[in-house]
Amino acid sequence: MGKILEVSNLTIHIKTHKGTVQAVRDVNFYLNEQETLAVVGESGSGKSITMKGIMGILPKNGKITEGTVMYNGKDLTKYTEREMQTIRGSEIAMVFQDPMTSLNPTMRIGKQIEEMLKAHKMDMTAEQRKARAIELLSLVGISNPEQRYKQYPHQLSGGMRQRVVIAIALACDPKVLIADEPTTALDVTIQAQILDLMRDLQKKTKTSIIIITHNLGVVANIADRVAVMYGGKLVETGDVYEIFKNPCHEYTKGLLASIPKAHEKGNRLRAIPGTPPDLMDPPKGCPFAARCNETMVVCQQFMPEYSDCGSNHKSACWLLDPRAKGGKA
Ligand code: ADP
Ligand code: MG
């Protein structure tokens, strides 16, 4: 299976009155056709800004300063806003965390799906659009789609609203679906349902999916591969089985340890002590050095390169690099 999307050396800066945030720092990853890639990392790691860069929807003060986003043999970073409008929604669609902000509260949900079709499928008649909207509602598991079609967002539960948002995203059969924390705003049981839905939809529609989450626990059942981001950097990538079985980066190990276990009472997360680096002034070495139990002197001074830790599995950590023989800091 070929690569449908390939991001190389992506670097994104956000200018603020306090200084420049180096939100995304030299990030490389790819998405294969028909696979699900999970991008995982704590809040502030640069996950959303990476995806917004790909979609051409960065905040006004944000800019791609380096790198390419290859889609279909073309570099999307070279596209004008007008050209990106033909890609967004029809080729690459995005689902955001909070369905309420994605939906228009004053418009019936059926109409909102039809708006998407109107924008990209000019040859469809009104009847065809309606039929497709109802078909999509049914595809995302909404019962009585004919009745729901006429309802407003406030008449639906949070989980249903997120299903509608996914229906809108899938309306034009995009090749790539990017879902940014699609379940974070939902109850735990509903979260599982939406993830199951996304997995089923992936099988039915053959869409390639990037799912972003700060919870590594949710990816085991849905992702084929995992990319771990931290401090604006991609620190580890590998097949999902490899990441769970043989995590190589100390940050990934920390994330795995913080997944709540089913037999443990409550949902207490054993969070990694410390806080992520300030991307206004990122560390010159490994971004995780300050929180890592295994830190060596070299970690604080130089950025580690990627080491192979298995087939299709890479991690940027000095512990894996034979050149680093220094003692602990
Ligand atoms: P994640 O999605 O992993 O939680 P983000 O991609 O949203 O992280 O953010 C990456 C970095 O960019 C963070 O340091 C965040 O504070 C900063 N950032 C995000 N959006 C903005 C913005 N609009 N203005 C300034 N800084 C921003
Ligand atoms: Mg985010």
Side-chain angles (χ1 to χ4, degrees):
M1 239 168 278
K3 292 174 185 168
I4 187 154
L5 192 72
E6 183 157 27
V7 172
S8 305
N9 308 111
L10 191 68
T11 303
I12 300 175
H13 289 176
I14 305 175
K15 283 219 162 80
T16 71
H17 65 278
K18 284 196 199 139
T20 301
V21 182
Q22 299 180 39
V24 179
R25 306 191 288 146
D26 196 16
V27 161
N28 296 275
F29 69 91
Y30 59 86
L31 178 66
N32 284 322
E33 281 168 29
Q34 296 186 30
E35 80 167 348
T36 298
L37 170 73
V39 178
V40 186
E42 286 165 295
S43 176
S45 300
K47 306 179 301 291
S48 295
I49 295 294
T50 300
M51 300 308 149
K52 286 179 178 169
I54 292 172
M55 296 290 282
I57 52 168
L58 284 173
K60 272 201 201 75
N61 48 347
K63 192 173 186 304
I64 296 179
T65 57
E66 232 186 291
T68 55
V69 176
M70 298 305 289
Y71 174 76
N72 254 342
K74 301 222 171 70
D75 182 3
L76 297 185
T77 66
K78 303 279 180 322
Y79 274 36
T80 61
E81 170 54 22
R82 225 195 154 103
E83 287 170 323
M84 277 313 290
Q85 282 171 9
T86 67
I87 297 283
R88 277 199 296 270
S90 67
E91 299 280 333
I92 308 179
M94 200 154 170
V95 170
F96 295 96
Q97 180 173 327
D98 181 1
M100 245 0 211
T101 55
S102 316
L103 293 172
N104 179 342
T106 67
M107 197 190 275
R108 296 177 201 272
I109 60 168
K111 291 288 164 214
Q112 300 196 42
I113 302 177
E114 290 173 7
E115 286 294 304
M116 187 67 158
L117 295 168
K118 262 190 201 166
H120 294 285
K121 305 262 175 194
M122 321 303 191
D123 51 349
M124 276 180 123
T125 64
E127 290 76 37
Q128 285 170 330
R129 282 197 295 268
K130 180 169 182 188
R132 174 74 176 142
I134 290 168
E135 178 189 52
L136 282 158
L137 288 175
S138 154
L139 179 75
V140 296
I142 291 183
S143 52
N144 299 326
E146 283 89 356
Q147 275 82 56
R148 293 293 186 186
Y149 170 91
K150 294 180 229 150
Q151 292 190 327
Y152 290 93
H154 74 265
Q155 295 173 285
L156 277 63
S157 66
M160 290 246 235
R161 286 197 286 261
Q162 196 58 305
R163 286 172 193 265
V164 172
V165 172
I166 294 170
I168 295 173
L170 293 175
C172 303
D173 293 315
K175 303 281 187 301
V176 177
L177 178 69
I178 301 177
D180 190 350
E181 310 242 14
T183 64
T184 302
L186 306 172
D187 296 347
V188 177
T189 45
I190 310 295
Q191 284 185 16
Q193 289 170 15
I194 296 288
L195 291 168
D196 286 347
L197 169 71
M198 290 195 52
R199 194 180 48 205
D200 293 346
L201 287 172
Q202 210 269 332
K203 288 197 189 109
K204 278 188 200 155
T205 61
K206 313 280 186 223
T207 315
S208 311
I209 297 180
I210 299 178
I211 180 163
I212 300 176
T213 172
H214 61 265
N215 181 357
L216 190 50
V218 309
V219 313
N221 289 326
I222 182 168
D224 299 299
R225 278 190 311 122
V226 177
V228 181
M229 275 192 83
Y230 184 72
K233 291 263 187 202
L234 205 148
V235 297
E236 181 163 8
T237 59
D239 292 343
V240 68
Y241 179 81
E242 274 277 312
I243 294 288
F244 278 83
K245 201 80 188 161
N246 178 31
C248 288
H249 200 285
E250 295 303 308
Y251 181 60
T252 311
K253 291 179 194 174
L255 286 180
L256 280 168
S258 65
I259 297 173
K261 305 283 184 309
H263 59 269
E264 282 175 0
K265 279 220 181 101
N267 258 357
R268 254 185 317 119
L269 284 174
R270 268 178 293 152
I272 308 168
T275 48
D278 177 6
L279 295 180
M280 200 93 78
D281 182 21
K284 61 179 179 186
C286 171
F288 192 57
R291 295 170 81 186
C292 179
N293 290 329
E294 306 292 332
T295 301
M296 300 177 289
V297 177
V298 65
C299 305
Q300 286 152 15
Q301 286 165 352
F302 299 98
M303 199 75 83
E305 287 171 21
Y306 290 95
S307 301
D308 280 320
C309 10
S311 76
N312 215 11
H313 184 181
K314 285 185 164 61
S315 168
C317 171
W318 277 116
L319 292 168
L320 307 166
D321 194 317
R323 290 173 296 177
K325 295 211 177 76
K328 283 196 184 182

